[in-house]
Amino acid sequence: MKPWSTPGGQRVLVIAPHPDDEACGCGGALLRHLTAGDAVTLLYVTDGRGSRALGLAPDAMAARRQAEAAACAAVLGVSDWQWLGLPEWAWEIETLASRLLAALEGVQPDVIYAPSRVDFHPEHWKVAHALAAALAQWPGAPRVRAMALQVPLGASLTNVVCSTSSVQAQQQAAAIAAHASQAYSTARTQRMRRYTAAAYGLPGEAEAFWDMSAARYQRLHAAAPSTWPAVFRSLRAMPWTDGLAYLWGWRERRALRKEHEGTRHDN
């Protein structure tokens, strides 16, 4: 495991399957990127209309979540954010792969923050697969950092930890709070960041990432999501069950780690 760092002057692309994944998955890291002078682009894939929070109808929820995304980007200080607005649960992988390829060509990122197969959410899986398809068509060679989105990466896969104690704690909390309609789920990710900090002896909160080459990410996610083992559990509303999210899927995490270590020349 190595601490998070940036040389500055990098181009960073964040691929958020839903509005709130950017703040919960890598919000602290983004604040550190911006402080170091890196250029950050946020890409919101779906419109989040599938959320049943607040009793809103799908169209109203989609509008609400777009407004929350805009508020979060403003709090983070990110002016370059793009709303793809694909209708949640009703989009095709080929459509997104084409849009992601255009984003890669436009941004030319040095670092990509993205979802991975270490997850439970079908849409997170689809986005990861679509990104792999786009990377296979693009000649760039960025680092890809898989985010922990409600499912912990665990000690087997975490190889970069970003301490967020040096960024403005109030700013990070405000970015998460901007997604007010999703407060029931964002609270779980805050617990996970506290667990990560405690596991690595860091103060406050920390974010865990699985850093790898674009080629490695592409190969890990090239197969159809329907073939991936559905063995992971998210943190739930009840904190006393959080340990199960770390236990479920540990064999798969170890298998992925062994596969990763077997290709050190392209990690």
Side-chain angles (χ1 to χ4, degrees):
M1 190 277 296
K2 59 184 178 181
W4 181 97
S5 66
T6 178
Q10 292 194 313
R11 296 179 298 274
V12 180
L13 176 62
V14 182
I15 299 173
H18 306 95
D20 79 356
D21 288 331
E22 82 295 3
C24 295
C26 60
L30 296 187
L31 288 172
R32 295 188 64 178
H33 275 296
L34 291 164
T35 299
D38 295 336
V40 174
T41 298
L42 293 178
L43 192 68
Y44 295 99
V45 174
T46 73
D47 61 8
R49 67 176 50 241
S51 173
R52 289 173 286 184
L54 308 180
L56 296 177
D59 286 349
M61 176 56 74
R64 169 69 181 260
R65 298 197 71 180
Q66 184 174 9
E68 290 177 346
C72 178
V75 170
L76 290 172
V78 176
S79 58
D80 185 7
W81 64 278
Q82 303 174 28
W83 180 262
L84 297 188
L86 300 183
E88 188 174 11
W89 300 111
W91 55 274
E92 300 298 328
I93 288 173
E94 294 76 11
T95 299
L96 178 57
S98 176
R99 302 287 295 274
L100 292 179
L101 179 58
L104 293 173
E105 293 172 340
V107 176
Q108 295 287 313
D110 301 297
V111 179
I112 300 172
Y113 288 90
S116 76
R117 59 190 291 175
V118 185
D119 211 306
F120 77 101
H121 200 302
E123 295 228 311
H124 293 182
W125 280 11
K126 285 179 65 179
V127 173
H129 183 53
L131 176 58
L135 287 171
Q137 301 176 66
W138 184 58
R143 300 300 298 180
V144 181
R145 289 177 182 157
M147 302 180 288
L149 299 175
Q150 295 194 39
V151 173
L153 294 169
S156 295
L157 299 177
T158 298
N159 57 10
V160 170
V161 173
C162 178
S163 172
T164 60
S165 62
S166 64
V167 300
Q168 300 94 325
Q170 291 183 343
Q171 187 177 3
Q172 184 181 15
I176 296 171
H179 296 284
S181 68
Q182 305 303 302
Y184 71 100
S185 62
T186 58
R188 308 172 199 177
T189 66
Q190 287 180 288
R191 295 202 308 268
M192 188 161 60
R193 287 193 297 277
R194 290 195 294 270
Y195 299 153
T196 299
Y200 293 97
L202 299 171
E205 297 182 357
E207 294 165 346
F209 302 104
W210 183 12
D211 179 275
M212 68 191 83
S213 69
R216 180 95 221 78
Y217 183 93
Q218 191 276 324
R219 284 196 294 274
L220 283 169
H221 300 89
S226 59
T227 67
W228 301 350
V231 295
F232 299 109
R233 183 188 194 274
S234 68
L235 272 69
R236 306 288 173 83
M238 303 301 180
W240 52 85
T241 69
D242 287 351
L244 295 176
Y246 290 83
L247 291 173
W248 285 22
W250 70 270
R251 291 182 185 275
E252 178 66 8
R253 289 185 183 91
R254 290 187 64 182
L256 290 172
R257 177 178 178 176
K258 288 181 179 179
E259 182 180 355
H260 187 67
E261 290 177 341
T263 54
R264 285 291 186 181
H265 65 284
D266 188 22
N267 63 358

